[in-house]
Each structure stands twice: as C-alpha cells, then as structure tokens.
Amino acid sequence: MNLSEVTYPKDTKYRVQNLLVQEARRKPNLFRRPRRTRLWLTTAAAAAVVALVAGDVVGLAGWRGGATAQAAEVLNNAAETAIMTADPVVNPGQYLRVKSTNVWGSASTEADGSTYEWLDTEKLDLYIPADPADEWVWVRSGRVPTTFFDARTKEYVEKNDFKPFPELLRAPNGSFYGSPGGWVHTDMSALPRDPYRLLNSIYKQTLGKGQSVDGEALVFIADLLRTGVVPADLRAALYKAAAMIPGVTITENQANLDGRTGIAIGRTEEGPSKTRQEIIIDAATGLLIGERAILTEPQGSIPAGTAIGWTAIETSVTNTAP
C-alpha cells in the first residue's frame, strides 16, 4: 500500500487539496451519524430545556428515569470493572497504539436523481507518544467500498473508480486538524467524573443537535468511547451516565463486532433517521469492544437491521511507530 505522507501543520495545503480531490471524485453523503438533523422544539419547550441544563446540579440528568434495570446493571458493573482496571502504561519512548476497523455508510446522487448507497471500510492505526506534546502518527487506509445491497450500486461504484486515499499523517500533540487533540474534538480533562454532572454536561453540549436530547447524549458517549483513549475514570463515568439515559436497553446479549462478542447496550431513535445507537461491552472485563448504528427501517436499498456504521477498537503499547 502506497501512502501519501502528510506532516502538519506545514503541509496543510496538501491535506486540503487531497480532501477536495477525494470529495470531488466520491461525492458521498455520509449518513452514519444523524447529527446534522436539528432537534425542533417549541419556544416554550426550548426555554425549559435551556433552563434545566443551565447548571451542573439541576438538569435533565436523572430525574426523567433511566436505562432499563438490566442495561443499567451491565453498565454499572462495567463501570466498576473499569475503575479497577489500570490503563496501559506508556513509558518514555513508547506509544499507545489504537487500532480500529471502521465501517461508514456512503451515498451518491446523480443529476438525474438516481441514488446509490453502500458501505465503506477504513482501517485506522494511531500512535500516541508517552509525551503527548511529541509527534503523533496516524496511518489511514482510506475508505474502501466493501458492502453493496444491489448490483446496480456495485456497478456504479466500480464504473466511477471510487478508490481509497491512504495517508500517513504526522503531527505534534495530535494536531492533525490544526488544533491540539483536534482528532478527538472533545477536551476529556474538562469533563466531570461525577456521572450525574457528566450527563448534564453532555446534555448541555448536545442541546439542539440530533433528533432527541437522549438519543444525542448516547451518540456523544459512543463517539467519545470509540476513540480508544478515554481514561479509566472517565470511561467508568460515561458508563454510569449512559445508565441514566431514558430508553437505553440491552439490545443483544451476543453482539458480534469484528469477531469479538459482547453485550450491546443501545437506544432506538424514533425520529426520521430510524436508527439504533449501540455500544458493545465485554461483560467479563468491562472493556468497550466498539459501537455501531443500526437501521430499524429500510433506507433506500439498505434493509432494516443493517449496521450502517460501526467501529471496533483495540489498544496496546508498542516501542515503535511508522
């Protein structure tokens, strides 16, 4: 695999050009995350929600109920295990390696109105140095079309030559997108460790996004956990916060994600997206296996029950980086 190597911030222009070329050729509309759909509320309801989440003590978290008893038990047990499990120790000269397999939903619409949907697979390999201020390395396979739901879409993708754009990225302090830790998009050190305050903080940050306050809160938790770098104390708090979200249930006791099996904890979104967001936990260790979003109704050519997006993660410590 030939990798185009990019160093930030010096070669940011190349990165932008590369992305523009990729987008011009691919023309995808990603539907893995229904995060761009606004949450529509009446003026009075919106004002009430804003007032509820205005403080860290009085807010949405907790008072409207929470997950089912079974789901809450799994999440709280996972939280206790996470607290007792030490994070990997990365000594000077070593790297925390976060490997992930990711599946993303893609769609393309032509001028005549014809639409094509398929799934891409991308492998990511991130190397975080012991001193975060040092150079990070990110190996990206590029998105490869892998799953098709009808012959016409496969023919369309092959005809348009949707090729991946592999990259080898380097940036001090993880500043791959121009700001420290920008690939994570969340300052984890600023998040409360008290589950109640944490969930209320998440409600505040996601207010007005997604299709429901509770659904978007679980999406936030899943997005953060799938980075693979959440410290044990915050991971435990996120599990306990998820246990306080109404509508969260055990959706599958034997959920297989990239060859690993765990318990799927999720919430079905009743809005236009018709998706169920899930996090999958190894009940024996309390470790996160990954997360996924599943269609609850058909979407175009994609049948109900399809995981239109998922991430499986694995962390380790290594002495070298590419």
Side-chain angles (χ1 to χ4, degrees):
M1 178 173 67
N2 294 322
L3 295 175
S4 58
E5 183 165 343
V6 185
T7 302
Y8 290 95
K10 181 187 296 184
D11 294 327
T12 302
K13 182 178 180 181
Y14 173 85
R15 166 70 175 174
V16 173
Q17 289 174 337
N18 194 1
L19 288 177
L20 289 175
V21 169
Q22 181 173 357
E23 289 301 312
R25 296 182 65 185
R26 297 176 57 81
K27 301 181 295 181
N29 293 316
L30 306 183
F31 51 82
R32 179 173 186 266
R33 299 289 182 201
R35 301 192 73 160
R36 293 182 177 85
T37 303
R38 297 291 294 178
L39 171 67
W40 296 106
L41 299 171
T42 66
T43 302
V49 171
V50 171
L52 284 169
V53 299
D56 285 334
V57 178
V58 178
L60 287 176
W63 67 270
R64 295 173 303 115
T68 63
Q70 295 86 350
E73 181 180 9
V74 172
L75 287 164
N76 286 318
N77 287 342
E80 295 303 319
T81 305
I83 292 172
M84 295 184 292
T85 302
D87 288 325
V89 176
V90 184
N91 294 313
Q94 293 183 318
Y95 298 84
L96 177 67
R97 184 181 184 183
V98 182
K99 295 177 61 178
S100 66
T101 300
N102 306 269
V103 168
W104 318 104
S106 290
S108 181
T109 301
E110 292 297 312
D112 62 3
S114 56
T115 300
Y116 305 86
E117 301 101 353
W118 68 94
L119 301 181
D120 294 328
T121 298
E122 182 178 24
K123 301 281 188 177
L124 302 178
D125 205 354
L126 178 67
Y127 296 80
I128 305 172
D131 182 352
D134 291 342
E135 182 179 78
W136 297 29
V137 181
W138 203 3
V139 182
R140 307 187 63 167
S141 70
R143 293 172 58 152
V144 181
T146 49
T147 304
F148 305 97
F149 303 94
D150 53 40
R152 62 184 284 275
T153 299
K154 184 175 183 180
E155 181 181 356
Y156 169 82
V157 171
E158 291 175 347
K159 178 181 178 181
N160 285 275
D161 195 23
F162 284 61
K163 291 182 178 179
F165 285 80
E167 292 179 303
L168 174 58
L169 313 178
R170 300 181 187 278
N173 203 24
S175 303
F176 297 112
Y177 299 105
S179 61
W183 63 281
V184 174
H185 306 297
T186 299
D187 181 4
M188 287 185 275
S189 65
L191 292 174
R193 268 43 176 182
D194 174 82
Y196 184 96
R197 292 167 64 95
L198 174 60
L199 182 55
N200 202 59
S201 172
I202 292 171
Y203 280 133
K204 290 169 64 177
Q205 294 182 57
T206 59
L207 182 64
K209 301 176 183 177
Q211 296 175 79
S212 71
V213 290
D214 297 316
E216 192 63 11
L218 188 61
V219 168
F220 181 99
I221 290 171
D223 282 351
L224 193 57
L225 287 171
R226 70 186 172 95
T227 65
V229 296
V230 179
D233 62 339
L234 179 56
R235 193 163 63 248
L238 287 168
Y239 287 156
K240 290 185 175 182
M244 292 190 290
I245 297 177
V248 170
T249 67
I250 292 178
T251 53
E252 188 177 350
N253 281 300
Q254 293 292 317
N256 186 294
L257 191 65
D258 202 29
R260 299 166 66 191
T261 302
I263 297 178
I265 307 290
R267 187 182 186 281
T268 299
E269 188 59 74
E270 299 298 339
S273 70
K274 302 300 182 184
T275 57
R276 183 174 71 248
Q277 175 66 55
E278 298 179 338
I279 57 176
I280 301 176
I281 299 171
D282 183 335
T285 63
L287 295 177
L288 180 80
I289 294 175
E291 54 82 37
R292 65 188 182 185
I294 295 177
L295 282 182
T296 57
E297 293 185 8
Q299 182 169 316
S301 62
I302 306 179
T306 301
I308 59 172
W310 57 263
T311 296
I313 59 174
E314 184 179 353
T315 60
S316 60
V317 176
T318 179
N319 295 323
T320 59

